[in-house]
Every structure is written in structure tokens, then in C-alpha cells.
């Protein structure tokens, strides 16, 4: 009986040790380890999430300490520059922020509309969905009391292109 007990103890010990050494297939330790998150990529994600609010905050601070004619940013269409000024509640950055919202997406859409959009007949440029008939997606209007090449407003739209547009 003593011999039987020692064999059982030895077998139980061996099973316990093998369970510790070789994890089960469904266990977390059996899975291949995930690569550690890069500190730079985590920081970049956090930075990009904060970028819109930081830019809005910095624009807000600049507009508080400067006049309505202060140039916050320039957008280009070829060699021609269009300026975004602090403005007022009816035109410029203050207007866009209050009426349409300001973030990095709005900034990119303005840049894309001015750089590669089509003239919209309102003194600005628009971008359109790639479909037929064309549907205007985003519009900028240029011309303010401060200057003819200044951004008056920019906003998202969902309207069919003008009646004189190319038919499908």
C-alpha cells in the first residue's frame, strides 16, 4: 500500500507540473503573445484625437487676443491663397465654429473643397459625391467684408447639382 501511495503522489505531481509547463490550448497563456502597444502609436492616436480641440482652442485664444481680421490659416488653390480670418458671428472662423462646428474634419473638407472642388456659383468651391446625378456634399463660400479671398462660411450639404449640370 505504501508503494501504491508513493506512485499516486508521483503521478499527481507529474500531472500538476506538466499542467503548469504546457498550458491548455484555450487558455490565455497558450495564445501567442500580442505585440506590445508602441508608445509612439498610442501617443499619436491620443495626439490626433486632441489635435482638433487643441487647434480650436488655439484658434479661439488667437481670436480673443486679435481683431476679426486676423488670419488664422491659408488654404490654397494652385498659387492663389484663400484666408480664414477670425471673423464674427456672421462670417469667418467664429461663424463656422458656432454654426457648423469646427474640428479637424471640417478643416480637411474646407481644404479639399478649395484645392480640388468645383466652382459652385456662390463665389466658392464645392465637393460632390461620385454618383450620377451629382450630389453636392460640401460647400465653401468665399468673400467677406474683410476681403474678397476670405472664407465666409463652409458647411455640409445634400442637394442635387444645379439644373444645368451634365446629365447622366
Amino acid at each position: 500500500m505504501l508503494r501504491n501511495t508513493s506512485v499516486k503522489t508521483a503521478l499527481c505531481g507529474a500531472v500538476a507540473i506538466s499542467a503548469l509547463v504546457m498550458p491548455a490550448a484555450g487558455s490565455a497563456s497558450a495564445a501567442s503573445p500580442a505585440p506590445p502597444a508602441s508608445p509612439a502609436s498610442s501617443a499619436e492616436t491620443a495626439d490626433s484625437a486632441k489635435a482638433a480641440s487643441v487647434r480650436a482652442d488655439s484658434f479661439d485664444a488667437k481670436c480673443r487676443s486679435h481683431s476679426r481680421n486676423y488670419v488664422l490659416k491659408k488654404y490654397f488653390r494652385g498659387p492663389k491663397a484663400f484666408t480664414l480670418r477670425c471673423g464674427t458671428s456672421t462670417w469667418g472662423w467664429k461663424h463656422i465654429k458656432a454654426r457648423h462646428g469646427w474640428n479637424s474634419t471640417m478643416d480637411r473638407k474646407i481644404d479639399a473643397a478649395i484645392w480640388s472642388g468645383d466652382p459652385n456659383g456662390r463665389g466658392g468651391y464645392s465637393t460632390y459625391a461620385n454618383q450620377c446625378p451629382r450630389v453636392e456634399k460640401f460647400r465653401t463660400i468665399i468673400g467677406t467684408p474683410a476681403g474678397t479671398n476670405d472664407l465666409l462660411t463652409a458647411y455640409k450639404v445634400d442637394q442635387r447639382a444645379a439644373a444645368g449640370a451634365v446629365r447622366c
Side-chain angles (χ1 to χ4, degrees):
M1 178 107 179
L2 182 62
R3 188 174 156 216
N4 233 355
T5 306
S6 64
V7 170
K8 287 180 183 177
T9 306
L11 283 174
C12 287
V15 169
I17 289 173
S18 68
L20 293 173
V21 174
M22 298 171 25
S27 73
S29 50
S32 61
S38 164
S41 65
S42 297
E44 288 171 9
T45 303
D47 287 345
S48 64
K50 292 179 187 175
S53 63
V54 170
R55 168 132 333 150
D57 291 344
S58 68
F59 280 6
D60 198 33
K62 287 179 183 177
C63 288
R64 270 186 270 135
S65 61
H66 291 88
S67 75
R68 66 185 187 163
N69 294 331
Y70 182 78
V71 175
L72 292 170
K73 185 168 181 172
K74 290 185 179 182
Y75 297 97
F76 294 91
R77 186 173 180 92
K80 192 172 184 177
F82 296 91
T83 55
L84 175 62
R85 297 182 186 267
C86 287
T88 67
S89 62
T90 59
W91 61 272
W93 181 78
K94 288 181 181 178
H95 166 77
I96 294 169
K97 180 185 174 203
R99 294 282 308 272
H100 311 291
W102 182 265
N103 56 29
S104 58
T105 302
M106 176 64 88
D107 187 30
R108 282 192 309 271
K109 286 181 177 183
I110 292 169
D111 190 42
I114 290 175
W115 177 254
S116 61
D118 295 336
N120 60 23
R122 302 272 323 264
Y125 301 96
S126 295
T127 54
Y128 296 85
N130 189 17
Q131 66 186 45
C132 194
R134 287 176 30 138
V135 175
E136 185 177 16
K137 298 308 271 180
F138 191 81
R139 177 184 295 166
T140 62
I141 299 177
I142 307 294
T144 69
T148 57
N149 287 340
D150 292 340
L151 188 62
L152 177 77
T153 190
Y155 51 92
K156 180 184 173 204
V157 293
D158 268 330
Q159 297 178 0
R160 301 231 179 257
V166 177
R167 299 212 182 258
C168 301

